[in-house]
């Protein structure tokens, strides 16, 4: 019999496309504002910790890392004022999301999420053969509580602050969902450090709550792949069943501990980003462009020329900036987001470059 790759692929994988991450251009002098990285390096203590872990000749690499990343879990828990059994470590928070989907969904256990939201969720759901129900925001980006509570799904993914809008929702909102949703609630807090609050401590109160976080944004470590979840220890035990045995390498574990322990450095960088974010939003208001008030390290705004705003303007603006070596994120295939662009907040110099490009584009 002839081998047929088409029929060899599992049913769920045959019907899916891979997640399309933002471009990672090699070389060139790009102002890279498309994937919400921090424009500053991590704490200097991170590099020192990696070199120490590595040893003079890299001899530590000979041995497997600690399977459960126990010291990193301690550091994660400590950062949020929790005890270590409430913490779980992942190879980036995408790993945590993937593990949660594998642990808590299948063809009979659906996932729901608000729309628009992080575009990885549908990919993870497809891979698992689980249904993903997208629940659109109500008018003016209000949370559709009733529809969420009636969504009849096993796990609800709530990105807070939201991506790609950047809108943040207070802890009362999270509590209301955790209290009334008849299933697990996963709050994806990739951008929460820029909002100034986190639902992490609520995991002591709600045993259906998982709070995911990452060092990729507010700790400047997207290249290191350190993410986490906080949840009731009983949930952590289930996540542990699903993860790769050694899901974080030695260097990542050491880096994560050093980053989380240097709270002052982390907060100082967050303050810089928040201050640039507010400045750029004032600029947008000044020129009359619409945007969602951001609680994140990015701003979703709608480029406008004269009185025209929409997908055509968003695309033209995105392309104009790209020609000028400024890379933003544009979502042409997302109905609810194709009329704007998402810009990561960079350094003061990055933002000055964008403002200059905006002024030039308006005049074209
Ligand atoms: N959640 C959201 C909402 C994100 O935008 C991202 C980054 N693309 C992640 C999670 C994953 O980040 P990481 O895997 O780098 O921790």
């Amino acid at each position: 019999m002839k081998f047929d790759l088409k029929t060899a692929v599992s049913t769920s994988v045959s019907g899916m496309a891979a997640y399309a991450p933002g471009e990672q251009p090699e070389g060139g002098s790009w102002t890279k504002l498309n994937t919400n990285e921090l424009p500053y390096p991590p704490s200097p203590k991170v590099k020192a910790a990696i070199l120490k872990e590595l040893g003079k000749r890299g001899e530590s690499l000979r041995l497997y890392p600690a399977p459960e990343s126990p010291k990193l879990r301690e550091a994660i828990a400590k950062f949020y004022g929790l005890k270590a059994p409430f913490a779980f470590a992942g190879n980036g928070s995408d790993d945590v999301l993937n593990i949660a989907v594998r642990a808590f969904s299948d063809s009979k256990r659906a996932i729901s999420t608000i729309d628009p939201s992080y575009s990885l969720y549908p990919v993870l759901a497809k891979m698992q053969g689980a249904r993903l129900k997208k629940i659109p925001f109500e008018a003016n980006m209000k949370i559709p509580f009733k529809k969420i509570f009636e969504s009849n799904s096993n796990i609800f993914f709530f990105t807070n602050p939201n991506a790609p809008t950047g809108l943040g929702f207070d802890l009362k909102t999270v509590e209301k969902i955790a209290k009334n949703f008849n299933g697990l609630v996963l709050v994806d807090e990739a951008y929460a450090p820029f909002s100034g609050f986190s639902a992490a401590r609520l995991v002591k109160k709600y045993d259906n709550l998982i709070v995911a976080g990452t060092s990729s944004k507010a700790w400047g470590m997207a290249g290191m792949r350190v993410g986490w979840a906080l949840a009731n220890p009983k949930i952590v035990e289930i996540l542990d069943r699903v993860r790769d045995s050694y899901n974080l390498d030695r260097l990542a574990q050491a880096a994560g501990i050093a980053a989380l322990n240097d709270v002052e450095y982390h907060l100082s960088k967050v303050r810089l980003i928040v201050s640039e974010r507010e400045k750029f939003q004032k600029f947008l208001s000044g020129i009359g462009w619409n945007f969602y008030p951001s609680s994140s390290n990015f701003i979703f705004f709608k480029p406008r020329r004269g009185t025209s705003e929409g997908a055509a303007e968003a695309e033209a603006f995105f392309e104009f900036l790209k020609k000028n070596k400024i890379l933003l994120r544009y979502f042409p295939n997302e109905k609810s987001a194709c009329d704007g662009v998402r810009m990561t907040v960079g350094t003061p110099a990055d933002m000055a470059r964008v403002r200059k490009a905006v002024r030039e584009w308006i005049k074209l």
Side-chain angles (χ1 to χ4, degrees):
M1 210 171 68
K2 212 170 162 279
F3 170 69
D4 182 2
L5 183 59
K6 256 195 205 148
T7 55
V9 184
S10 75
T11 313
S12 48
V13 173
S14 74
M16 64 174 279
Y19 172 69
E23 265 176 80
Q24 301 295 340
E26 292 281 338
S29 48
W30 285 94
T31 300
K32 190 176 174 305
L33 304 173
N34 67 331
T35 45
N36 302 338
E37 289 128 330
L38 195 73
Y40 306 106
S43 157
K45 292 183 178 155
V46 167
K47 185 179 166 191
I50 291 172
L51 292 177
K52 184 163 176 242
E53 175 61 33
L54 197 53
K56 252 198 188 123
R57 297 166 53 217
E59 59 272 20
S60 73
L61 300 183
R62 196 173 60 75
L63 299 173
Y64 283 105
E68 289 173 0
S69 314
K71 288 192 179 137
L72 175 58
R73 289 189 193 201
E74 258 171 49
I76 294 164
K78 187 172 147 221
F79 181 84
Y80 289 100
L82 291 163
K83 295 244 155 55
F86 284 85
F88 176 83
N91 182 22
S93 61
D94 281 348
D95 183 35
V96 173
L97 302 174
N98 187 16
I99 290 169
V101 165
R102 281 155 65 199
F104 296 113
S105 77
D106 55 32
S107 59
K108 292 195 189 84
R109 291 171 178 78
I111 304 168
S112 56
T113 181
I114 217 151
D115 186 44
S117 188
Y118 183 26
S119 47
L120 177 71
Y121 307 149
V123 177
L124 295 177
K126 275 232 163 95
M127 216 187 297
Q128 180 72 357
R131 215 179 131 203
L132 181 101
K133 303 181 184 181
K134 288 186 177 179
I135 308 169
F137 274 100
E138 286 174 2
N140 302 318
M141 292 292 167
K142 292 263 180 314
I143 304 278
F145 287 108
K146 198 157 170 275
K147 289 205 175 112
I148 294 169
F149 303 151
E150 289 169 359
S151 68
N152 197 19
S153 55
N154 201 51
I155 180 163
F156 174 64
F157 277 69
F158 185 53
T159 320
N160 194 29
N162 179 261
T165 64
L167 288 168
F169 299 91
D170 61 15
L171 292 184
K172 271 196 195 139
T173 305
V174 177
E175 282 214 72
K176 188 169 169 182
I177 298 173
K179 212 184 265 177
N180 295 289
F181 181 71
N182 186 19
L184 283 151
V185 174
L186 188 149
V187 184
D188 181 344
E189 288 198 347
Y191 303 104
F194 304 102
S195 77
F197 55 84
S198 163
R201 291 169 76 114
L202 290 177
V203 301
K204 284 203 290 193
K205 192 166 166 193
Y206 298 99
D207 60 7
N208 61 336
L209 185 63
I210 305 174
V211 176
T214 179
S215 67
S216 296
K217 321 289 180 181
W219 281 266
M221 295 217 306
M224 207 65 232
R225 314 308 299 134
V226 178
W228 50 80
L230 287 316
N232 184 288
K234 286 185 184 156
I235 291 183
V236 171
E237 187 273 318
I238 291 172
L239 299 176
D240 267 325
R241 292 186 206 171
V242 178
R243 72 171 161 78
D244 287 352
S245 343
Y246 306 102
N247 65 333
L248 275 105
D249 67 56
R250 284 177 170 276
L251 307 185
Q253 292 185 34
I257 294 163
L260 284 161
N261 283 339
D262 197 348
V263 178
E264 195 35 58
Y265 181 92
H266 157 69
L267 292 178
S268 71
K269 295 303 178 241
V270 167
R271 280 195 292 270
L272 280 177
I273 296 300
V274 168
S275 134
E276 274 312 302
R277 178 184 79 201
E278 299 309 305
K279 195 168 159 192
F280 196 85
Q281 292 188 158
K282 268 196 195 135
F283 167 75
L284 289 173
S285 297
I287 59 171
W289 285 20
N290 289 314
F291 62 93
Y292 294 115
S294 172
S295 297
S296 310
N297 67 335
F298 58 86
I299 306 169
F300 187 92
F301 59 90
K302 303 184 180 178
R304 165 184 287 261
R305 246 193 315 222
T307 53
S308 306
E309 181 192 275
E313 283 71 25
E315 185 178 7
F317 179 73
F318 170 80
E319 292 298 343
F320 178 76
L321 263 69
K322 199 167 175 183
K323 244 190 247 157
N324 285 278
K325 288 275 183 183
I326 301 172
L327 199 55
L328 307 184
R329 192 82 189 264
Y330 169 55
F331 305 90
N333 302 322
E334 306 243 349
K335 240 200 207 154
S336 47
C338 65
D339 57 347
V341 292
R342 195 193 68 189
M343 178 200 72
T344 307
V345 177
T347 62
D350 293 339
M351 294 299 92
R353 231 168 280 141
V354 177
R355 285 193 291 269
K356 182 166 170 274
V358 168
R359 288 192 199 97
E360 283 170 13
W361 183 73
I362 292 174
K363 282 192 216 131
L364 283 184

